C-alpha cells in the first residue's frame, strides 16, 4: 500500500488581503484550528416512473450553487484584533494556504477568492490561567480558485 502524502496542521493558514495593488496577504495569527469548506448546493427533484406512476419516485439533484467557507478557532491575538474588527461585514480577498516544509512544494498552494467575515467570537475562562479565545467565520462572496505553488 502506498503511503498517503499528508500535511501537518501547522502548514495550513487563513490569510487576509490588504486590498492594495499588489495585494499583500497576512496570516491570521493565533488560530490553532483552520477549516476550508467547499460546498455544492442542490435542490431535490423527484422523477416519477412513467411506466409505473404508483412507484415511489427517485430523487435527482439539481445543482443550484457553489460556496466556499473558512472558519478558524484559537487564541485572541490583540495585535490583529483591530484588523479583524475592520474586516467584519466587508467583502475582501482571503486565502486558505496549504503549505509544506521548507524545500518541498509538492501539492502546496492556496484557495483564494472574495469573502466576508460574518461572525467573530471572543471569549475566555478564568480557570487555570487559560488564555482568551476567539473564532471566526468567513463566507465566500464570489468564485474561489486553486493556485498551485510554483
Amino acid at each position: 500500500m502506498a503511503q498517503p502524502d499528508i500535511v501537518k496542521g501547522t502548514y495550513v493558514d487563513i490569510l487576509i488581503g490588504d486590498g492594495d495593488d499588489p495585494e499583500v496577504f497576512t496570516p491570521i495569527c493565533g488560530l490553532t484550528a483552520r477549516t476550508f469548506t467547499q460546498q455544492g448546493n442542490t435542490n431535490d427533484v423527484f422523477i416519477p416512473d412513467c411506466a409505473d406512476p404508483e412507484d415511489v419516485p427517485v430523487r435527482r439533484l439539481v445543482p443550484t450553487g457553489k460556496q466556499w467557507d473558512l472558519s478558524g478557532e484559537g487564541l485572541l491575538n490583540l495585535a490583529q484584533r483591530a484588523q479583524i474588527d475592520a474586516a467584519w461585514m466587508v467583502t475582501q480577498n482571503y486565502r486558505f494556504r496549504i503549505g509544506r516544509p521548507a524545500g518541498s512544494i509538492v501539492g502546496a498552494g492556496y484557495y483564494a477568492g472574495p469573502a466576508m467575515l460574518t461572525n467573530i467570537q471572543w471569549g475566555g475562562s478564568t480557570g487555570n490561567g487559560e488564555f482568551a479565545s476567539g473564532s471566526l467565520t468567513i463566507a465566500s462572496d464570489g468564485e474561489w480558485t486553486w493556485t498551485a505553488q510554483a
Side-chain angles (χ1 to χ4, degrees):
M1 178 174 116
Q3 293 294 315
D5 186 12
I6 57 177
V7 176
K8 288 185 177 182
T10 54
Y11 292 106
V12 175
D13 289 305
I14 295 174
L15 298 93
I16 186 170
D18 64 6
D20 289 343
D21 186 17
E23 192 159 26
V24 175
F25 288 84
T26 304
I28 299 175
C29 192
L31 299 178
T32 56
R34 296 154 304 269
T35 303
F36 171 81
T37 303
Q38 183 172 332
Q39 179 172 319
N41 300 309
T42 62
N43 279 340
D44 291 350
V45 176
F46 292 89
I47 308 296
D49 182 339
C50 293
D52 186 1
E54 295 209 12
D55 193 13
V56 177
V58 175
R59 178 179 76 172
R60 298 293 308 266
L61 296 178
V62 178
T64 60
K66 302 178 210 176
Q67 70 185 61
W68 300 263
D69 297 306
L70 303 174
S71 61
E73 295 182 11
L75 303 174
L76 169 57
N77 175 14
L78 287 177
Q80 283 185 305
R81 189 206 50 79
Q83 179 187 21
I84 290 169
D85 283 350
W88 183 59
M89 298 298 293
V90 176
T91 297
Q92 58 192 79
N93 292 321
Y94 288 85
R95 288 182 178 174
F96 183 81
R97 179 174 60 195
I98 301 172
R100 298 299 297 232
S104 172
I105 62 168
V106 176
Y110 58 87
Y111 292 96
M116 182 182 291
L117 177 56
T118 59
N119 186 286
I120 302 169
Q121 295 182 27
W122 305 126
S125 172
T126 58
N128 296 325
E130 293 186 25
F131 294 106
S133 63
S135 70
L136 307 173
T137 303
I138 301 163
S140 65
D141 189 18
E143 184 80 21
W144 277 54
T145 58
W146 170 259
T147 301
Q149 185 173 340

